[in-house]
Structures are given as C-alpha cells and as structure tokens.
Amino acid sequence: RHASHGPQHNKHNRETESYLNMFARLSLLRPTLSTVPACSVRAYGMRHTDKVVLESAAAPAAIGPYSQAILVPSSGQVHVSGCLGLDPKSGELVSANVAEQAARALENMQAVLQEADCSMADVVKCTVLLRSMDDFGAVNEVYSRYFSTQSGAEAAPAAFPARICYAVSGLPKNALVEIDAIAQQPK
C-alpha cells in the first residue's frame, strides 16, 4: 500500500529541498552584526526592512533577552521596551513609591529615545502596566508632566500619546509600574 507515494510526493520533496537550499544560502548571505561605537547602535539585517538596536548607558540595561529599543529606519518608528523605575547604575528600583518609580521609568524612556534623536514629544503610543489600579491617579499625575507641552506663558493643549493602561498581577523586580512606547522620529 505505502510502497509508492506517486508524483505528488516527489514534487513535495523537491519543493522542501528547494526551500532548505534557499534558507541555507540566505544564512550565508545574512549581514553580520556591526557595531557603531559612537552611539551604541547595532544594525541587524531583516527580511523586508532593517532594524537598529538602540542602547543607552543612561538607562538600565535590559534585564532579559530583549533590547532597550528598536528603530525601524524605513518607517522612522522607535519601539521602546517597557521601562521600569530602575536606577541606571544599580539596576534596582529607586523606591517603593509608585510616583517615584513612574518618574524614573519615564526618565529611562527619555534616555533611550535620545539614542534615536527623539524626545517625549515624538511618542505616539504608550502602554502602562500597573500592579494596582489604585495607583492610576498618581501615575497619571507624573505621566502628564512628561508629555505635556508649553508654549510661551500659556500652556498649549497637550498632544498626549495614545495610551492603554492595564492592571497586572506582577511586574519584573516587583515594580509597581512599567511603561513602554512607540515614537515617530521627526523628519
């Protein structure tokens, strides 16, 4: 019964073999990691676009297998990983106070954004993770200071980024708040 699989089976094997050969060739052609020492940026090759890994010494190092931020040059988008209220030197939480953690998290975000020549004004979307929704007001107060704009003596309407906020059961290092962002590089 199973002695012959017919022409379809042979066609499938040839297609599979062709894909495997293509992937083998691509792995030999893939650009290697290159470091640009002046600004701690690493460039990687990708299939349809390029991405640049951004790292800032003024922000805590990633505490897992992820990058502080990724810049997609073709779109000018900067994707900043979740920032915690960690001291950049010690890697520990700055305090047990949610407002202080939020402020430090946003300072860390600013440092990473600067590596892409961006500021908080370039942020278009944030995600805020809270250990408790009871901290929503305190975090909003700090958050609004980092994203509000001033024009002369009068306050201009704030162009706050789009945002979503979740309460979660836990965060790395038992933090009380974590904030990530997507920014658009200025043209």
Side-chain angles (χ1 to χ4, degrees):
R1 239 189 234 190
H2 300 280
S4 173
H5 295 286
Q8 290 291 27
H9 181 71
N10 290 335
K11 179 182 176 191
H12 175 71
N13 282 342
R14 282 192 305 274
E15 287 176 358
T16 302
E17 196 172 293
S18 175
Y19 283 121
L20 291 174
N21 287 335
M22 179 183 70
F23 287 126
R25 283 193 310 274
L26 287 174
S27 68
L28 295 174
L29 299 173
R30 182 175 36 236
T32 57
L33 174 68
S34 64
T35 301
V36 181
C39 61
S40 303
V41 174
R42 295 187 307 230
Y44 294 85
M46 286 181 60
R47 185 179 301 162
H48 296 290
T49 185
D50 289 332
K51 68 178 180 178
V52 178
V53 174
L54 301 175
E55 296 176 341
S56 172
I63 58 175
Y66 61 90
S67 302
Q68 288 177 334
I70 297 289
L71 165 65
V72 182
S74 59
S75 67
Q77 282 193 340
V78 180
H79 297 259
V80 180
S81 294
C83 296
L84 300 172
L86 300 178
D87 176 85
K89 290 186 174 72
S90 72
E92 298 300 320
L93 291 169
V94 292
S95 80
N97 178 285
V98 72
E100 292 174 13
Q101 285 187 28
R104 184 69 246 180
L106 292 165
E107 292 289 329
N108 294 338
M109 182 182 291
Q110 277 183 318
V112 174
L113 286 168
Q114 286 174 352
E115 292 296 322
D117 296 322
C118 288
S119 71
M120 299 300 264
D122 300 312
V123 174
V124 296
K125 172 83 167 56
C126 284
T127 303
V128 178
L129 304 176
L130 299 173
R131 284 276 306 276
S132 170
M133 274 299 169
D134 293 340
D135 294 330
F136 187 76
V139 170
N140 273 344
E141 186 177 319
V142 172
Y143 181 94
S144 67
R145 290 195 310 258
Y146 282 83
F147 290 107
S148 64
T149 58
Q150 297 289 325
S151 176
E154 296 180 33
F160 292 110
R163 186 180 89 173
I164 191 164
C165 182
Y166 297 104
V168 297
S169 63
L171 291 168
K173 297 207 171 222
N174 289 319
L176 300 175
V177 60
E178 181 174 7
I179 307 170
D180 76 0
I182 299 171
Q184 182 66 45
Q185 280 188 316
K187 298 205 187 259

